[in-house]
Amino acid sequence: MHSTDARILRGAALPSGLAGIVALVVGLVLAGSKGMLGAALGTITVLAFFTISVVAVSYASKISPQMMFAAAVFSYITKLLVMFALIAAFKDATAWNPKVFAYTVIALTLVWIGAEIRASLKVKTLYVDPAEDAKTTADRSP
């Protein structure tokens, strides 16, 4: 994983984890232990899904820029399918509060996206490969 990708991952995961802790407390206060369990499952789901996406895109960026897009789309489609499967599998579950789970997922998704945008803006990422640019310039010289 590139150091910039690791910084972006940390920059998004830490605020999301802190928001997850807040969600656990809110879930406990508003809905008891079932609410806390719903918030915990929502936190784990969001952190796992977004971390997998960042790692997949980072790994694909080592292969080629085109693979980055493919990895992003594939991880998004996979997450959708897994989320639909989880919803179908646990539609009748009563061990946790589904409303707290849903609100936690929504809140942490917004926190993650905001934090990832902030971290991406703070990281100085080159959009041109200096080595390739120098090679191309050298190839064009007579």
Side-chain angles (χ1 to χ4, degrees), residues 4 15 38 50 73 97 142:
T4 55
F50 280 104
V73 170
N97 187 318

Side-chain angles (χ1 to χ4, degrees), residues 1-104:
M1 177 177 283
H2 297 289
S3 64
T4 55
D5 294 333
R7 277 187 267 167
I8 291 171
L9 180 60
R10 269 192 314 275
L14 290 176
S16 299
L18 292 174
I21 292 169
V22 171
L24 289 170
V25 172
V26 170
L28 180 63
V29 169
L30 295 179
S33 61
K34 287 186 177 188
M36 186 173 175
L37 182 58
L41 292 172
T43 300
I44 290 167
T45 301
V46 170
L47 292 177
F49 276 28
F50 280 104
T51 300
I52 288 168
S53 291
V54 171
V55 170
V57 171
S58 177
Y59 177 75
S61 72
K62 293 179 183 178
I63 299 170
S64 75
Q66 294 81 8
M67 286 300 292
M68 288 174 58
F69 179 74
V73 170
F74 181 73
S75 69
Y76 177 74
I77 292 170
T78 302
K79 286 188 297 188
L80 277 177
L81 293 174
V82 169
M83 185 56 76
F84 286 139
L86 288 173
I87 290 169
F90 296 115
K91 67 181 178 185
D92 297 325
T94 59
W96 63 83
N97 187 318
K99 285 185 180 180
V100 174
F101 172 81
Y103 285 125
T104 301

